[in-house]
Amino acid sequence: QVQLVESGGGLVQAGGSLRLSCSASGRTFRLSAMGWFRQAPGKEREFVAAINWSGGSTYFADSVKGRFTISRDNAKNTVDLQMSSLKPEDTAVYYCAAARLGSGATTSLTKGALDAWGQGTLVTVSS
């Protein structure tokens, strides 16, 4: 059973930092791009960040570029999202996602080639 489990969400003040982690299990993920999406209250889910299968290429939404970084450890089947200079508008439920097996490019996340989602972790940024 494919499973993605996020952790690390919480309450943080504007300007602060938070690190989200995603632990993957159930199949081989090292050949899949992985990334993060978020959904704010009353809004649609949106793409945040992606990392390719090797970790050598990353891609970010314009809204988080320069503030967020993404990394992965294929030996541990984990992907992390480091968030800095957080703003109230970053408040959302953050979801980890994995592209289909063999879909290793970051574009796999933005083009919908996904086959696994986590349950989400809430990030609240206070002003």
Side-chain angles (χ1 to χ4, degrees), residues 10 15 17 27 55 89-90 104 107-108:
S17 298
R27 69 160 170 86
E89 51 263 44
D90 293 318
T107 51
S108 302

Side-chain angles (χ1 to χ4, degrees), residues 39-106:
Q39 187 167 18
K43 296 187 177 182
E44 293 187 351
R45 190 175 299 188
E46 63 176 1
F47 167 78
V48 175
I51 187 166
N52 77 331
W53 67 277
S54 69
S57 178
T58 59
Y59 180 67
F60 298 91
D62 287 343
S63 58
V64 306
K65 203 171 294 182
R67 300 188 297 121
F68 291 11
T69 60
I70 186 171
S71 59
R72 67 187 295 165
D73 186 333
N74 283 340
K76 296 180 179 179
N77 272 352
T78 59
V79 59
D80 290 350
L81 185 69
Q82 177 67 46
M83 305 183 294
S84 302
S85 301
L86 283 162
K87 305 175 182 180
E89 51 263 44
D90 293 318
T91 294
V93 177
Y94 283 72
Y95 298 90
C96 178
R100 300 182 191 120
L101 182 62
S103 296
T106 56

